[in-house]
Amino acid sequence: QVQLVESGGGLVQPGGSLRLSCAASGFTLDWFATAWFRQAPGKEREGISFISRSDGSTYYADSVKGRFTISSDNAKNTVYLQMNSLKPEDTAVYYCATDSSGSGGGYTWLGRVFRSWGQGTQVTVSS
């Protein structure tokens, strides 16, 4: 079982930056990728970034490409999302998730089933 905790959210002005962290604990050897999702009120969940544990390959949704950077520190079991040039439309609850094995359903994105989720961290971009 993997536990994930997001941190780093908060209130920031347009054009500002935040760095989100996703710290994993527990059994951390049974997943291959970590992804960041976000969901704003009244909108569907959106996958925004992905990083592979095996080779470090990354993916970015068009909505954040060029502004956000995903990275990982495997020694710390932590994945980061550096968010620059933030816009009001980036306002959402941000979640990290891993494609950990387990019972029950999951959320499929980029061909992977994400079953372990953090509690989310609120990002608000406003002046």
Side-chain angles (χ1 to χ4, degrees), residues 24-97:
S25 61
F27 188 72
T28 61
L29 301 178
D30 70 334
W31 83 89
F32 299 96
T34 302
W36 285 96
F37 300 83
R38 66 185 182 186
Q39 188 164 23
K43 295 185 178 181
E44 296 182 351
R45 178 167 16 187
E46 177 188 16
I48 57 173
S49 193
F50 166 101
I51 187 167
S52 169
R53 293 186 71 189
S54 60
D55 61 9
S57 61
T58 59
Y59 170 87
Y60 299 95
D62 288 343
S63 58
V64 305
K65 191 173 184 178
R67 299 188 297 120
F68 292 9
T69 303
I70 192 169
S71 62
S72 64
D73 185 338
N74 290 334
K76 297 180 179 179
N77 287 325
T78 301
V79 172
Y80 304 96
L81 185 68
Q82 178 67 46
M83 306 187 296
N84 298 326
S85 301
L86 284 163
K87 306 174 181 179
E89 51 263 45
D90 294 318
T91 296
V93 178
Y94 284 69
Y95 301 89
C96 66

